[in-house]
Amino acid sequence: MSPSPSKPSDKSDSPAPRARPTWLRWIFLAFAWTAGLALAGAFGLALTIAVALAVAYPNLPDISDLADYRPKLPLRVYSSEGALLGEFGEERRNLTPIKEIPTVMKDAVLAIEDARFFQHGGVDYKGVVRAGLANLGRVKSQGASTITMQVARNVYLSSEKTFTRKIYEILLTFKLEHLLTKDQILEIYMNQIYLGNRAYGFAAASEAYFGKPLKSVSIAEAAMLAGLPKAPSAYNPISNPKRARSRQLYIIERMQENGFITAEEAVAAKKEQLKIRSGPDNTRVHAEYVAEMARQLIFTQYGNEAYTRGLNVYTTLNAAEQEAAYTSLRRGIMDYERRQQYRGPEKFVALPTSAQEVEDAIDDALANHPDNGDVLSAVVLEASARKIVAARANGDTLEITGDGLKPAQSGLSDKAPPNIKIRRGAVIRVVKTPKNAWEITQLPEVEGALVALDPRTGAIRALVGGFDFDKNKFNHAAQAWRQPGSSFKPFIYSAALEKGFTPATVINDAPLFFDAGTTGGQPWEPKNYDGKYDGPMSMRTGLAKSKNMISIRILQAVGPKTAQEWVSRFGFDAEKHPAYLTMALGAGSVTPLQMATAYSVFANGGYRVNPWLIAKVTDHKGRVISETTPPETSEQPRAIDARNAFIMNSLLQEVTRSGTAARAQATLKRPDLYGKTGTTNDSVDAWFAGYQPTVAAVTWIGYDTPRNLGSRETGGGLSLPVWISFMERALKGVPVMEAKVPPGVVNVGGEWFYEEYARNAGVANVGLDDRSAASPAGAAPHAPPPTEERNRILDLFRN
């Protein structure tokens, strides 16, 4: 039997599918698990952030006050014209509105700190990615902090680097972006950021590094300043000029890349030579003592808040006159110093032989002996009797020869002791002479003061309290109580006018002797300064020649107690002027400021004015907080009669015309100058007090620890030249003023008299008429003295 045909198979002839490899399944599972974990992690992170936001956001600081940004602003003191005199506070800062910040400065900052500032919402995500790629690629490191983030960090947060602080920084960033405009945020940043050298904000930094206002910066300067926020110390153009220059060039390139400047501007900016301030601000008005006085006055009123509120204090000072006072006093003191014995170098340093080591040694030595204004420091490299070669801190080498060596001849002698000898390594002082040559000198030990007032109001126009504020902060103008010497005599003469004396009264310039029984102590034999006695002379001549015997006899006639009461009218403290005959020679105690106030009484016709300094105080936005309006002169209390002031003017004018201060009118070529020289016993204090109707000024020179200035040193030789130099500037353009004759004063024979004495003027010239003598204490002014007093006074004059 044949086999049956087979049935077709149900299975396909195609190959069966292969099983998926195990490794692929593992990859798929790993990817799925990773994605799941990532999603779970992201969800967890989002949940954590949400919880953190919910917890942290309510605890964020209130930033609403930034809408009216008020940083710590220093106290600033200005002259009446607005020249900066000084600033006080931990931070140098000039609050500058965004509209007043120049575009070039904003562009420079944006180019390096946050080029997309106006496009992002506080966090620049593109910037974060770009910075990350740049940093991974090991190219120039780039930061991702936006300006808003920096504001949040600098204003509210600490500098610690923690995850919590970063969260707060981001949250604050969003909050700032929500509540403030971009311009407000940028304004805060530009004013708040620390830029080294105690400067906060770019306006202060511009002044600190370039000595110019922010509105005047160039592209190159703006780029230099914009490099400071990253590391104010590392990129400080003063201490690290090379690194600062490198960063400046990079910022200029960034400005060009971002389209802020053209290629041509970039090239020019890179070539620009910057003038970096490397020392003290020599352009500022030298008014350190005045600034300190203003600081004390404001601190008394506002306390510590005075240093943070941004108060602007406008003084009564005239900047030009202040500078004239400063230079005049320093010149006068240095002229005196040239006549003193050389005290030797300030220090000796060992100089190595290597040129580089020598430079380092000089730098180290002069760092501890900085320049003092125009009195410069240097280290001697070579020294001989004919030439000194010295090096300055800036690397300059100078030579001193000829007359420039004369002030230090004793230090160049072969026999000079070691501490005086000028040799290699000696630290010396030098100055430039008017002939542009170098002269060796030394820092003075003597001190001085100059103060000037407007006698019509009492406003202080200039005040210098010493040779140098950094060297000696004691304000000699307001704090030094010294004997006024002969400069006090006019107040005794003024008292005499009220007791019957006239300028024509004749008084005997003859020796006086007071025994112990008269003085109640030691015998006293006063002398004239020159030791000479000229016999009978008028009161006018006696004051012009500053005759001591004349003043003593006048005080004897007036009475010390009466005179003591009289001088208090001028603002003097009665207890500082004991009622003894020594008062006639200025043996009491006064300050230069007190003397200027007192002489103002003569200058303004007899009114007592009080000195004042602060004219106006404003806040940082210029809003007036307080303002002083001085009363008119006629509204001030009267100290002496107008007739008294007029005749005293006549007497004091004679002093500057033909007397001990004749140099004043001769030099300034004007007759409306009045004043009196003063030299105390043993030439310890040298004074000149004088005025013109628009300005009263007093100068004083002496040692802090009283000692002899020199046998030939006088007020006329020391202080008068300083006064003349100052008044030359103060009176520039001021017309000559002629005093108006007040009622009750007449002129007879070329001399001025009170009207009631005019009828006997001829007799008064010889000093024999009773009306030319003095009435007893307590008698009515101008009343003729009784017979017994007449005889006593005539005996006084004869003896």
Side-chain angles (χ1 to χ4, degrees):
M1 182 174 167
S2 64
S4 303
S6 60
K7 294 181 181 179
S9 173
D10 293 335
K11 293 181 179 181
S12 171
D13 293 333
S14 60
R18 296 180 181 179
R20 183 174 296 170
T22 302
W23 65 271
L24 282 177
R25 288 200 301 272
W26 281 111
I27 290 177
F28 177 77
L29 289 174
F31 177 78
W33 275 101
T34 301
L37 289 173
L39 288 174
F43 178 77
L45 179 62
L47 184 61
T48 301
I49 292 175
V51 172
L53 289 174
V55 173
Y57 199 85
N59 295 322
L60 292 177
D62 181 13
I63 64 172
S64 59
D65 58 333
L66 282 185
D68 184 21
Y69 176 57
R70 294 184 181 181
K72 289 182 180 179
L73 297 175
L75 168 69
R76 290 191 173 89
V77 182
Y78 298 91
S79 71
S80 59
E81 311 91 340
L84 183 63
L85 306 180
E87 59 181 349
F88 303 91
E90 295 179 1
E91 303 175 357
R92 294 177 180 171
R93 194 194 302 274
N94 294 325
L95 183 55
T96 309
I98 190 65
K99 61 183 179 182
E100 296 179 16
I101 298 175
T103 301
V104 66
M105 189 69 252
K106 290 185 284 189
D107 289 346
V109 169
L110 293 176
I112 190 61
E113 295 293 335
D114 193 354
R116 298 186 64 256
F117 173 71
F118 287 99
Q119 283 77 49
H120 63 67
V123 177
D124 186 6
Y125 303 105
K126 291 183 179 180
V128 171
V129 174
R130 184 178 62 251
L133 293 175
N135 294 338
L136 285 174
R138 294 186 179 182
V139 297
K140 196 165 186 126
S141 177
Q142 296 185 18
S145 288
T146 65
I147 284 177
T148 312
M149 293 169 72
Q150 292 184 57
V151 169
R153 181 166 62 245
N154 292 331
V155 175
Y156 291 107
L157 302 175
S158 66
S159 58
E160 62 175 344
K161 296 182 178 181
T162 64
F163 180 72
T164 303
R165 194 211 62 123
K166 194 65 179 177
I167 290 178
Y168 272 98
E169 179 181 314
I170 294 173
L171 293 178
L172 273 173
T173 297
F174 291 139
K175 192 170 184 179
L176 286 170
E177 288 278 348
H178 177 69
L179 294 178
L180 303 178
T181 66
K182 287 287 188 178
D183 278 346
Q184 286 177 307
I185 295 171
L186 187 58
E187 177 180 289
I188 295 168
Y189 177 83
M190 301 288 281
N191 283 281
Q192 179 72 21
I193 195 73
Y194 177 63
L195 300 171
N197 207 26
R198 285 182 50 226
Y200 288 77
F202 288 93
S206 179
E207 294 283 356
Y209 294 110
F210 302 123
K212 63 195 299 186
L214 184 61
K215 64 182 179 181
S216 304
V217 296
S218 64
I219 294 174
E221 290 168 334
M224 182 70 79
L225 294 177
L228 291 166
K230 182 178 181 180
S233 176
Y235 298 112
N236 187 313
I238 296 175
S239 57
N240 289 301
K242 291 183 179 179
R243 293 189 68 183
R245 170 65 172 165
S246 175
R247 184 155 177 80
Q248 176 211 29
L249 295 176
Y250 173 65
I251 292 174
I252 292 173
E253 292 173 1
R254 293 279 296 163
M255 292 177 73
Q256 181 184 349
E257 291 172 8
N258 285 278
F260 293 133
I261 58 175
T262 64
E264 293 77 12
E265 289 174 324
V267 171
K270 290 179 180 179
K271 292 180 179 179
E272 182 179 336
Q273 296 294 318
L274 302 189
K275 295 181 180 179
I276 306 295
R277 174 184 290 168
S278 58
D281 184 2
N282 294 322
T283 62
R284 181 177 295 181
V285 178
H286 287 285
E288 294 84 356
Y289 291 97
V290 174
E292 174 60 15
M293 290 173 68
R295 182 199 69 78
Q296 292 179 19
L297 290 169
I298 295 299
F299 179 78
T300 299
Q301 186 171 359
Y302 296 98
N304 289 326
E305 215 179 25
Y307 307 130
T308 60
R309 288 183 57 180
L311 297 178
N312 299 307
V313 181
Y314 292 88
T315 67
T316 57
L317 232 64
N318 178 285
E321 292 179 18
Q322 176 64 26
E323 201 61 27
Y326 173 81
T327 56
S328 298
L329 182 64
R330 282 179 67 94
R331 188 185 304 120
I333 289 177
M334 291 307 296
D335 286 344
Y336 169 80
E337 195 59 49
R338 287 186 183 91
R339 301 192 289 272
Q340 307 312 301
Q341 185 175 1
Y342 187 62
R343 296 183 293 275
E346 295 180 15
K347 186 181 180 181
F348 296 95
V349 295
L351 294 181
T353 55
S354 166
Q356 182 59 51
E357 291 179 348
V358 167
E359 288 184 9
D360 293 341
I362 291 173
D363 288 344
D364 292 341
L366 298 185
N368 296 320
H369 297 267
D371 294 342
N372 187 299
D374 55 353
V375 183
L376 311 179
S377 58
V379 174
V380 174
L381 301 178
E382 303 172 23
S384 68
R386 294 187 176 182
K387 183 174 73 172
I388 291 176
V389 178
R392 295 267 296 121
N394 59 7
D396 291 346
T397 301
L398 52 90
E399 291 188 0
I400 310 170
T401 58
D403 291 342
L405 297 174
K406 288 184 177 180
Q409 279 298 316
S410 60
L412 294 170
S413 170
D414 292 336
K415 298 180 180 179
N419 63 318
I420 302 296
K421 181 72 174 177
I422 299 175
R423 57 185 183 272
R424 179 178 169 83
V427 177
I428 62 172
R429 294 283 170 170
V430 297
V431 293
K432 265 287 181 67
T433 68
K435 296 181 180 180
N436 204 35
W438 290 106
E439 179 181 85
I440 191 169
T441 187
Q442 56 192 346
L443 283 176
E445 292 181 344
V446 75
E447 276 292 354
L450 190 157
V451 58
L453 307 179
D454 184 333
R456 299 161 297 187
T457 64
I460 296 175
R461 293 171 57 166
L463 186 148
V464 184
F467 180 78
D468 180 74
F469 182 77
D470 291 330
K471 177 173 170 278
N472 187 346
K473 292 179 171 55
F474 183 74
N475 188 340
H476 298 84
Q479 297 174 304
W481 291 92
R482 308 295 292 227
Q483 289 188 347
S486 296
S487 63
F488 196 74
K489 290 175 180 177
F491 307 106
I492 305 300
Y493 278 59
S494 173
L497 293 179
E498 298 302 307
K499 291 297 181 180
F501 283 78
T502 75
T505 299
V506 174
I507 308 168
N508 194 13
D509 178 32
L512 285 168
F513 177 78
F514 302 92
D515 57 28
T518 303
T519 63
Q522 295 295 321
W524 183 42
E525 187 176 7
K527 300 181 182 299
N528 286 327
Y529 174 77
D530 57 6
K532 299 177 180 179
Y533 304 93
D534 297 335
M537 65 179 61
S538 69
M539 193 167 83
R540 175 180 292 277
T541 303
L543 184 62
K545 291 186 175 182
S546 196
K547 290 290 187 176
N548 290 341
M549 300 306 107
I550 302 296
S551 297
I552 293 172
R553 284 188 161 92
I554 289 175
L555 182 55
Q556 276 185 304
V558 171
K561 186 62 178 177
T562 300
Q564 182 190 45
E565 295 172 354
W566 184 261
V567 301
S568 64
R569 292 168 174 252
F570 295 85
F572 295 116
D573 303 318
E575 66 274 11
K576 291 188 179 293
H577 300 274
Y580 302 119
L581 290 179
T582 52
M583 188 196 309
L585 307 184
S589 297
V590 300
T591 68
L593 180 59
Q594 200 176 48
M595 286 290 278
T597 305
Y599 270 79
S600 293
V601 174
F602 295 139
N604 64 32
Y607 295 95
R608 168 83 177 275
V609 295
N610 291 316
W612 57 288
L613 178 64
I614 296 177
K616 182 174 65 175
V617 179
T618 69
D619 64 12
H620 70 283
K621 291 188 175 181
R623 294 174 296 208
V624 176
I625 297 174
S626 64
E627 192 166 10
T628 301
T629 303
E632 296 292 330
T633 306
S634 58
E635 297 174 358
Q636 306 275 15
R638 180 168 283 283
I640 60 176
D641 189 77
R643 301 193 305 175
N644 190 303
F646 177 83
I647 291 182
M648 285 307 305
N649 283 344
S650 175
L651 292 174
L652 291 170
Q653 187 179 39
E654 189 67 35
V655 176
T656 64
R657 188 187 71 81
S658 64
T660 56
R663 183 176 176 180
Q665 288 195 35
T667 304
L668 296 176
K669 310 295 184 186
R670 56 190 302 155
D672 58 340
L673 301 175
Y674 316 80
K676 183 69 185 74
T677 54
T679 309
T680 60
N681 193 32
D682 292 330
S683 298
V684 169
D685 298 277
W687 294 80
F688 185 77
Y691 57 92
Q692 190 269 353
T694 62
V695 56
V698 171
T699 56
W700 165 85
I701 291 177
Y703 288 98
D704 277 340
T705 301
R707 73 178 201 238
N708 190 283
L709 288 163
S711 59
R712 298 184 179 181
E713 303 295 353
T714 65
L718 270 178
S719 292
L720 177 59
V722 175
W723 187 89
I724 291 173
S725 177
F726 167 73
M727 293 296 271
E728 189 172 21
R729 173 61 186 85
L731 297 178
K732 187 176 183 180
V734 177
V736 173
M737 302 178 70
E738 186 175 338
K740 184 179 179 181
V741 182
V745 176
V746 295
N747 189 288
V748 178
E751 187 58 274
W752 297 104
F753 298 88
Y754 285 177
E755 191 173 32
E756 56 268 34
Y757 298 148
R759 64 183 182 274
N760 295 311
V763 180
N765 281 328
V766 296
L768 298 178
D769 187 81
D770 53 9
R771 293 179 183 83
S772 69
S775 59
H782 321 312
T787 303
E788 61 272 17
E789 278 297 307
R790 171 182 181 275
N791 294 333
R792 185 181 69 81
I793 293 168
L794 290 178
D795 287 341
L796 188 66
F797 292 155
R798 294 190 184 100
N799 293 331

